[in-house]
Amino acid sequence: MFTGLVEDLGTVAAVHGGADGVRLTVEAPLARRLGDGDSVAVNGVCLTAVGVCGDRFGADVMHETLRRSSLGQVEAGGRVNLELPLRAGARLGGHVVQGHVDAVGVVAAAREDGFARLVTIEAEPALLRYVVEKGSIAVDGVSLTVAAVDEATFSVSLIPETLQRTNLGAAALGTVVNLEVDILAKYVEKLLGARLPA
């Protein structure tokens, strides 16, 4: 489990793709805290670290993950948000993030709003049904508060700290981002659906 509070901004050192999937190699100081087999969120996707050596770690990305996330578009030199799992007893500063990306969205607009930047993201209606104003959503693994939502988009406001410490500071029109909705919304829907008559 993660919190959506990015701990490090890594650089993709290499991408090796083949018929079986993709192996990413990521460079970041956070790698020194990893061992082979440890979980790490990369742009909000929970992956397993392999081949850890110094400031580098590898991670194998299977077809299911490539289909559901933006990791298939990552290139060498790209910047990725990194987070280690929440430790028992630690503060939950963001919200409950599983690292199980639901879908991707596309940055449709961005404008300055005082010291913040308001970013609007297009997403599928099947995902937007779980998004509510002032609720939580993970965008590329960053826990954010929804500022507004309509039938086709939602908006988030990014403070300077988020712009500086995550790859969202470089997000421009057309940027594809990973989205994970609040798991509680899905559980509520399932429980209520089971109780309501058909």
Side-chain angles (χ1 to χ4, degrees), residues 26 33 39 44 58 60 91 104 113-115 122 129 133 147 169 196:
V26 178
R33 296 162 54 197
S39 293
D60 294 321
R91 282 190 293 187
V104 294
D113 185 21
F115 58 69
E122 290 179 351
R129 69 192 290 173
E133 188 174 333
L196 295 175

Side-chain angles (χ1 to χ4, degrees):
M1 186 181 88
F2 304 91
T3 67
L5 299 183
V6 171
E7 295 179 61
D8 206 347
L9 195 53
T11 300
V12 177
V15 179
H16 298 288
D20 295 329
V22 171
R23 163 74 61 96
L24 296 179
T25 302
V26 178
E27 185 170 359
L30 175 140
R32 294 185 212 125
R33 296 162 54 197
L34 286 170
D36 286 353
D38 285 348
S39 293
V40 58
V42 178
N43 275 359
V45 180
C46 181
L47 299 175
T48 301
V50 294
V52 179
C53 183
D55 283 351
R56 290 189 175 196
F57 70 92
D60 294 321
V61 187
M62 62 185 168
H63 291 301
E64 168 69 5
T65 305
L66 293 170
R67 282 189 293 269
R68 286 210 183 232
S69 76
S70 66
L71 291 186
Q73 300 175 28
V74 170
E75 297 179 346
R79 304 284 273 165
V80 289
N81 296 326
L82 302 174
E83 182 187 357
L84 296 178
L86 179 68
R87 291 177 183 261
R91 282 190 293 187
L92 180 60
H95 73 284
V96 175
V97 177
Q98 295 182 295
H100 303 162
V101 169
D102 292 299
V104 294
V106 179
V107 175
R111 67 176 175 82
E112 303 308 311
D113 185 21
F115 58 69
R117 183 176 303 154
L118 190 68
V119 177
T120 301
I121 298 170
E122 290 179 351
E124 293 295 321
L127 182 132
L128 288 170
R129 69 192 290 173
Y130 302 110
V131 180
V132 297
E133 188 174 333
K134 302 307 176 193
S136 295
I137 190 165
V139 178
D140 265 0
V142 182
S143 175
L144 297 169
T145 301
V146 177
V149 62
D150 59 30
E151 298 79 21
T153 67
F154 69 92
S155 298
V156 290
S157 190
L158 308 179
I159 61 172
E161 179 76 2
T162 304
L163 295 170
Q164 180 181 353
R165 291 178 55 93
T166 75
N167 65 2
L168 295 182
L173 268 60
T175 299
V176 177
V177 290
N178 294 322
L179 304 175
E180 181 184 332
V181 299
D182 192 338
I183 187 65
L184 297 177
K186 292 198 250 182
Y187 280 124
V188 168
E189 179 185 61
K190 184 167 184 176
L191 289 170
L192 288 177
R195 292 177 183 223
L196 295 175

